[in-house]
Amino acid sequence: MFVVVLHIIQKDLGQAFIYFGLGLAFDPFTPTQAWNNKPLWQKTVLLSELILVLVSGVLLFFTHHF
């Protein structure tokens, strides 16, 4: 997350988008735990991050800042 904030401060939004998306590939909680067994707050964090990555990707695509 620190790297994402650093890239946002440097106004390198494309790199921030990439690193933020990579955070979803590596489940920070318990990767071996099934989705149905995760607590609600973990599901909320992961889904919020997914939505933010998708919205950021669409915005970067249409504004050509990547």
Side-chain angles (χ1 to χ4, degrees), residues 15-29:
Q15 288 293 320
F17 166 69
I18 289 170
Y19 282 108
F20 202 64
L22 279 174
L24 285 172
F26 304 102
D27 186 356
F29 302 113

Side-chain angles (χ1 to χ4, degrees), residues 27-58:
D27 186 356
F29 302 113
T30 308
T32 56
Q33 187 179 25
W35 178 259
N36 294 335
N37 296 334
K38 289 190 182 295
L40 180 61
W41 71 272
Q42 288 181 0
K43 291 179 183 179
T44 304
V45 168
L46 292 171
L47 288 174
S48 299
E49 188 174 347
L50 176 64
I51 290 169
L52 188 59
V53 166
L54 291 176
V55 168
S56 298
V58 169

Side-chain angles (χ1 to χ4, degrees), residues 52-66:
L52 188 59
V53 166
L54 291 176
V55 168
S56 298
V58 169
L59 289 174
L60 284 173
F61 180 77
F62 285 113
T63 58
H64 304 289
H65 286 307
F66 54 93

Side-chain angles (χ1 to χ4, degrees), residues 3-24:
V3 175
V4 174
V5 173
L6 182 66
H7 282 294
I8 290 173
I9 290 171
Q10 295 175 345
K11 300 197 187 309
D12 189 2
L13 300 179
Q15 288 293 320
F17 166 69
I18 289 170
Y19 282 108
F20 202 64
L22 279 174
L24 285 172

